[in-house]
């Protein structure tokens, strides 16, 4: 069965960096687009980033452009989100999700909490 | 960016009720709309894609309709497991955007 398992969250000071990972299994990872979506405590969902199956096409929400970098390693069935220059407003649970194309996000990980605080 | 507006923000209903949640897009998104259910502490779960297609394994009491800028999610007969928060999401163009959510509460 499809599984997505995020890791790498934690407490970081403003201006710091963190790298999130998402380990995928149960499907052919290299065939699928992937994405990151976040949810601030008590708030709604916010789409963060997209990466094509090859990694050649990437999109970001404006608020993270220039600070976050999405990447993937198809040989390792893994998705990553490098987060630099972190701000308090980046505090959220970060979900990786499989982009099912016409089905949008059909599978989600359990999420990893990132807390940016001094 | 395309803005998605859900209404109502909160909905109180009873088991067995028929409920409808509305989602409006700030510009046409054709039928590139998904609905998700989220329970506290859990990841969202896909219910409906392409505005009206039921995801595999989702009960048939859930249905979606609409195209262009106006969409609805209907639950035909509420069950205890349906009390949760529901989000719409457009995937017509990047950045993808979500509605603010509708919390469905027990009356």
């Amino acid at each position: 069965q499809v599984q997505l398992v995020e890791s790498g969250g934690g407490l970081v000071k403003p201006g710091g960096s963190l790298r999130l990972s998402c380990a995928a299994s149960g499907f052919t990872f290299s065939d699928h687009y992937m994405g990151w979506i976040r949810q601030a405590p008590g708030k709604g969902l916010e789409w963060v980033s997209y990466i094509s199956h090859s990694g050649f096409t990437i999109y970001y929400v404006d608020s993270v452009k220039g600070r976050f970098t999405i990447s993937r390693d198809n040989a390792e069935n893994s998705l990553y989100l490098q987060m630099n220059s972190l701000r308090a407003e980046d505090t959220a649970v970060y979900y990786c999700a499989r982009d099912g194309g016409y089905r949008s996000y059909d599978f989600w990980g359990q999420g990893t909490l990132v807390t940016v605080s001094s | 960016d395309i803005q998605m507006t859900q209404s109502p923000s909160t909905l109180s209903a009873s088991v067995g009720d028929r409920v409808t949640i509305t989602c409006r897009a700030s510009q046409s998104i054709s039928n590139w709309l998904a609905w998700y259910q989220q329970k506290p502490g859990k990841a969202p779960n896909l219910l409906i894609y392409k505005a009206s297609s039921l995801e595999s394994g989702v009960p048939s009491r859930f249905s979606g309709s609409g195209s262009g800028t106006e969409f609805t999610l209907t639950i035909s007969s509420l069950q205890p497991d349906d009390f949760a928060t529901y989000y719409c999401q457009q995937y017509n163009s990047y950045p993808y955007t979500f509605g603010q959510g509708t919390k469905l509460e027990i009356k």
Side-chain angles (χ1 to χ4, degrees), chain B residues 69-80:
Chain B
T69 61
E70 188 146 340
F71 303 86
T72 59
L73 173 70
T74 299
I75 309 172
S76 60
S77 178
L78 273 174
Q79 299 302 301

Side-chain angles (χ1 to χ4, degrees), chain A residues 13 23 25 41 46 48 51 55 70 89 108 113 115:
Chain A
K13 289 181 168 54
S25 60
E46 180 184 35
V48 174
I51 187 167
I70 191 172
E89 54 265 35
W108 297 60
L113 177 62
T115 303

Side-chain angles (χ1 to χ4, degrees), chain A residues 37 39 43-47 50 59 95 99 101-106 108-109, chain B residues 32 34 36 38 42-44 46 49-50 55 87 89 91 94-96 98 100:
Chain A
I37 298 100
Q39 186 169 36
K43 303 296 184 184
L45 300 167
E46 180 184 35
W47 176 84
Y50 156 94
Y59 300 111
Y95 297 101
D99 187 331
Y102 66 89
R103 290 167 63 234
S104 195
Y105 293 112
D106 55 358
W108 297 60
Chain B
W32 298 111
Y36 300 89
Q38 186 180 34
K42 300 293 187 182
L46 178 65
Y49 60 91
K50 283 194 75 177
E55 173 69 350
Y87 294 93
Q89 177 231 335
Y91 53 112
Y94 291 100
Y96 289 172
F98 290 86
Q100 81 279 14

Side-chain angles (χ1 to χ4, degrees), chain B residues 21-84:
Chain B
I21 299 168
T22 298
C23 180
R24 290 186 173 86
S26 60
Q27 63 189 75
S28 178
I29 58 170
S30 184
N31 63 349
W32 298 111
L33 184 101
W35 289 98
Y36 300 89
Q37 178 193 68
Q38 186 180 34
K39 296 182 178 178
K42 300 293 187 182
N45 183 49
L46 178 65
L47 300 175
I48 302 284
Y49 60 91
K50 283 194 75 177
S52 60
S53 295
L54 191 68
E55 173 69 350
S56 176
V58 174
S60 59
R61 63 181 179 273
F62 291 91
S63 64
S65 65
S67 67
T69 61
E70 188 146 340
F71 303 86
T72 59
L73 173 70
T74 299
I75 309 172
S76 60
S77 178
L78 273 174
Q79 299 302 301
D81 192 49
D82 300 338
F83 292 94

